[in-house]
Amino acid sequence: MPETIVALATPLGRSGIGVIRLSGPDALSIAQKLTDATELKPRYAHLAELRDLQTSDAIDEAIITYFKAPHSFTGEDVIEISCHGSPVLLRQVIDICLRLDARLAEPGEFSLRALANGRMNLAQAEAIRDLIDAQTTASARQAVRQLRGEFSNRLQPIKDDLLNVIVVLESALEFVEDDLPETQTENIKKRLEEIAAEIGRIASTFQAGKLIREGLTVAIVGRPNVGKSSLFNAMLGSERAIVTEIAGTTRDQLHEKFTIDNIPISLIDTAGLRETSDTVESIGVERARRAMADADFVIAMLDASEAFTQEDEEILESVHALNHLIAINKIDKTNDVDDLVARLQFKIQNPKSKIAAVSAKTGEGLDTLKRSIVEPFEPQEFSDAGFLVTDARHHDLLVRAQNEIENSLSQLEQKMSEEIVLIGLHNALRYLGQITGETTAEDMLTRIFSTFCIGK
Ligand code: GDP
């Protein structure tokens, strides 16, 4: 018999309401001991008094909802207690549940139970996690599509087709003395090609899906005082970084998140890149170099009001091979922006280098700069696209399944025995099953669910 688990389903902090959730065979009896509600009718909201076990004093008034198994999120008896959102009170109620023999839930344990009880498949459970973690409306929308079974529904006919091919080959192995007739082999090949192509089509949406879900890391680099922190603040629309005219103020890097065209951007303001004898600053400089190497996109910044220096030159050289853009800042201080851009273009001779003229102070050129960051990743191409694969695990399994099928196809071409061809096809079917969790090993499930938050 499973244990009864308890967890806070809402974030711990002061709020209007905080929800505690119990799931398991004792959920109902725990709720009855905790409250003065004698009869809890399933799927009805009951206003009840919560009581201290020892003193019987009222500790809060709460709404209790009982979801009777199997018609609940987990498929078990579930109780939801909506108390007032006081951290002290919520802790006290959870403590009482623990004293009544409930146990604190592990991260993702409610979802794991829902999976074990057939209330949802693995891809759907992962979609709930992704929905909670979504940073933009676009990624939330993709997670909901997955939650509603769109991914599983698209996979099902592929798995059915593959299974049909496997059945034909298996029975040939059992009952046909000679080789399969040529027409039948050709038919099988055609079907396998179609299956592999369809899996490939789904897998290819991952590039866009990953961008929507994880977004881009963008680092601003440049020598001290060119205006990196000012640009960082201007892009975020808040005074997050300290801006001074003293070079070397930003000694370590700052990270903040915002979005451009529904793509989550993790923006990094790095320490100015320069030779320095200051230990703290030099660590910052080293980190800046690393951030630059790890970023998806780098903004290399120059100062329009000052002459181009050797340090600038070195910075431009170091971003040369990266996805980057050169931002000439402080254009409010100069009248000759076009001339400056033309001269720089001539100097760098790199057709990959886009140049944006901006003023972090006045905001001029910022919109163009933002658009230039996401442009190389072609967001417009998938903004209206259908379902996207957003999870690296799913992508990996799709690619593996496709490879196995293509491998089997070439074995068929080489007229190898059905026995050998079948190995790859069985593997492919198993990989596809792992996406929805039918064939996922226990330890893998534990690993996946440990990425969930507690109470989910
Ligand atoms: P960082 O060291 O590269 O991060 O540079 P900061 O953002 O700290 O800016 C250095 C100095 O340049 C500060 O005094 C800013 O006010 C100034 N500054 C930054 N951006 C602009 C700009 O677009 N126009 C003007 N006129 N001053 C700027």
Side-chain angles (χ1 to χ4, degrees):
M1 189 113 111
E3 293 169 290
T4 299
I5 50 173
V6 63
L8 186 62
T10 45
L12 186 63
R14 291 168 59 244
S15 58
I17 295 169
V19 179
I20 290 165
R21 185 150 61 162
L22 285 152
S23 178
D26 298 330
L28 181 61
S29 68
I30 292 174
Q32 279 163 339
K33 285 176 197 147
L34 178 68
T35 69
D36 62 352
T38 43
E39 201 194 343
L40 288 168
K41 201 168 155 195
R43 290 167 179 256
Y44 274 79
H46 300 267
L47 179 66
E49 209 166 72
L50 301 186
R51 289 177 308 205
D52 184 286
L53 286 187
Q54 267 126 28
T55 61
S56 294
D57 287 344
I59 54 173
D60 194 17
E61 259 191 354
I63 297 289
I64 318 276
T65 320
Y66 170 41
F67 300 90
K68 191 172 163 55
H71 305 291
S72 70
F73 176 73
T74 57
E76 302 174 326
D77 267 1
V78 167
I79 292 281
E80 280 185 13
I81 308 170
S82 306
C83 319
H84 290 104
S86 142
V88 180
L89 167 73
L90 292 166
R91 216 166 271 154
Q92 195 181 357
V93 176
I94 289 177
D95 276 346
I96 297 174
C97 294
L98 297 178
R99 252 179 281 143
L100 291 169
D101 280 341
R103 143 172 97 63
L104 264 189
E106 302 284 341
E109 198 170 0
F110 288 90
S111 303
L112 188 58
R113 290 187 176 196
L115 180 76
N117 294 324
R119 299 294 291 167
M120 61 175 74
N121 66 40
L122 182 55
Q124 287 171 314
E126 287 171 308
I128 295 180
R129 174 199 60 194
D130 294 349
L131 180 60
I132 292 170
D133 290 343
Q135 295 176 47
T136 64
T137 47
S139 57
R141 212 174 305 134
Q142 283 299 332
V144 170
R145 294 177 82 143
Q146 191 170 316
L147 175 60
R148 294 174 62 101
E150 211 170 309
F151 192 17
S152 333
N153 291 345
R154 224 170 133 191
L155 286 177
Q156 198 52 51
I158 301 177
K159 287 194 280 189
D160 291 344
D161 276 356
L162 186 56
L163 194 60
N164 285 338
V165 173
I166 290 176
V167 168
V168 172
L169 286 172
E170 291 279 7
S171 54
L173 204 60
E174 288 286 322
F175 305 114
V176 183
E177 300 270 308
D178 306 315
D179 288 346
L180 274 175
E182 189 66 20
T183 49
Q184 201 161 3
T185 315
E186 283 310 310
N187 183 20
I188 286 177
K189 274 196 230 159
K190 209 168 127 246
R191 283 163 72 185
L192 286 179
E193 275 162 14
E194 281 164 12
I195 293 170
E198 176 65 3
I199 295 175
R201 267 193 294 278
I202 302 177
S204 70
T205 64
F206 179 58
Q207 207 184 348
K210 183 168 179 266
L211 191 57
I212 275 191
R213 180 172 156 190
E214 292 172 19
L216 301 171
T217 306
V218 177
I220 311 174
V221 300
R223 68 182 158 82
N225 259 350
V226 290
K228 294 179 298 299
S229 299
S230 303
L231 181 73
F232 182 79
N233 288 341
M235 284 175 86
L236 296 172
S238 76
E239 297 301 310
R240 174 70 177 81
I242 302 167
V243 173
T244 70
E245 61 284 3
I246 306 161
T249 315
T250 308
R251 287 160 158 243
D252 199 357
Q253 53 207 33
L254 296 172
H255 289 245
E256 281 296 331
K257 288 187 191 284
F258 72 111
T259 60
I260 304 174
D261 288 353
N262 243 320
I263 297 176
I265 306 286
S266 178
L267 189 64
I268 306 174
D269 178 20
T270 66
L273 291 173
R274 65 166 176 184
E275 292 303 320
T276 174
S277 54
D278 179 309
T279 321
V280 177
E281 193 185 345
S282 70
I283 295 173
V285 170
E286 185 44 44
R287 285 204 184 144
R289 290 193 205 285
R290 234 178 300 143
M292 191 162 84
D294 291 344
D296 299 300
F297 194 91
V298 179
I299 301 174
M301 202 167 204
L302 304 175
D303 187 334
S305 67
E306 284 181 6
F308 192 75
T309 68
Q310 176 66 27
E311 273 171 335
D312 289 331
E313 179 122 31
E314 282 166 17
I315 288 162
L316 294 193
E317 237 164 63
S318 60
V319 299
H320 191 88
L322 307 172
N323 252 328
H324 73 280
L325 170 146
I326 300 169
I328 309 183
N329 188 33
K330 308 193 189 179
I331 53 167
D332 56 291
K333 279 181 148 181
T334 145
N335 299 323
D336 252 341
V337 179
D338 292 344
D339 181 48
L340 206 65
V341 171
R343 268 190 291 140
L344 186 64
Q345 233 147 17
F346 180 73
K347 193 174 178 65
I348 51 181
Q349 299 278 337
N350 181 357
K352 261 187 74 188
S353 289
K354 253 194 271 173
I355 299 174
V358 297
S359 167
K361 190 171 176 182
T362 66
E364 197 182 340
L366 270 191
D367 284 341
T368 316
L369 173 89
K370 285 186 183 174
R371 233 169 299 122
S372 308
I373 294 174
V374 292
E375 220 166 50
F377 303 92
E378 297 172 339
Q380 68 281 10
E381 278 199 5
F382 57 78
S383 54
D384 299 321
F387 174 78
L388 303 174
V389 173
T390 55
D391 191 302
R393 188 183 77 86
H394 299 165
H395 177 250
D396 177 53
L397 289 166
L398 287 168
V399 171
R400 281 182 199 219
Q402 189 188 8
N403 287 344
E404 290 285 356
I405 295 170
E406 280 167 357
N407 218 357
S408 292
L409 259 168
S410 78
Q411 289 164 342
L412 266 178
E413 297 281 354
Q414 294 164 45
K415 305 206 180 315
M416 289 194 184
S417 83
E418 285 93 13
E419 232 165 344
I420 292 178
V421 174
L422 273 164
I423 297 173
L425 300 184
H426 276 295
N427 284 343
L429 195 60
R430 201 181 60 240
Y431 289 142
L432 294 177
Q434 283 179 13
I435 294 175
T436 40
E438 295 124 67
T439 53
T440 312
E442 196 66 35
D443 56 340
M444 189 64 199
L445 284 180
T446 313
R447 193 138 36 108
I448 293 167
F449 281 92
S450 67
T451 63
F452 281 52
C453 53
I454 291 181
K456 191 64 248 157

